Amino acid sequence: QVQLVESGGGSVQAGGSLRLSCAVSGGAYFGGCLTWFRQAPGKEREGVASIQTGGSGTTYYAESVKGRFTISADDGNGRATLFLQMDSLKPEDTAMYYCATGYFGVCEYMPAQRHRYWGQGTQVTVSS
């Protein structure tokens, strides 16, 4: 069983920065994708950024966050910490942010329904 616990959300003014963290334990993520999703009220959950574990470490981003957000991960011994550095934040970035894993397909696609394990979410609010 994989467990994910997010932290680092909060409130910030537009143009500011936040860094989200996600502690991953259980080991069953290795070789798959570690992905950040977000969901704003009344909107569908969307993939924000994903990183391939167990090899290339290739990263992928939604167009809306390219150049502003950076995903990274430290992993080993069955545990990992996933990060999302968010810079130049905009009000439209306001959402609940979730980390997820358990998907072993093409990370670039970030399909929410195929990620098996999810954290509880952390709120990010950006004011104008």
Side-chain angles (χ1 to χ4, degrees):
Q1 185 73 14
V2 179
Q3 292 185 327
L4 304 99
V5 179
E6 301 99 335
S7 60
S11 297
V12 65
Q13 288 192 328
S17 299
L18 283 173
R19 190 187 197 207
L20 305 184
S21 299
C22 174
V24 185
S25 61
Y29 67 89
F30 192 77
C33 313
L34 288 170
T35 306
W36 286 101
F37 291 86
R38 66 185 181 187
Q39 188 167 19
K43 294 189 177 181
E44 291 187 357
R45 192 168 295 190
E46 64 171 344
V48 174
S50 189
I51 185 167
Q52 174 73 56
T53 68
S56 67
T58 304
T59 58
Y60 305 91
Y61 297 91
E63 284 296 325
S64 59
V65 306
K66 276 185 181 177
R68 300 188 298 120
F69 290 11
T70 304
I71 188 172
S72 61
D74 293 330
D75 70 295
N77 296 322
R79 294 175 177 267
T81 305
L82 180 67
F83 301 100
L84 185 68
Q85 177 65 41
M86 305 186 294
D87 299 317
S88 302
L89 282 161
K90 304 175 180 180
E92 51 263 44
D93 294 318
T94 295
M96 186 71 78
Y97 283 72
Y98 301 88
C99 57
T101 192
Y103 168 60
F104 294 86
V106 179
C107 297
E108 183 178 10
Y109 298 159
M110 294 185 264
Q113 69 276 17
R114 295 189 63 189
H115 282 68
R116 184 174 179 183
Y117 304 105
W118 292 79
Q120 81 288 352
T122 186
Q123 178 68 37
V124 172
T125 302
V126 184
S127 57
S128 57

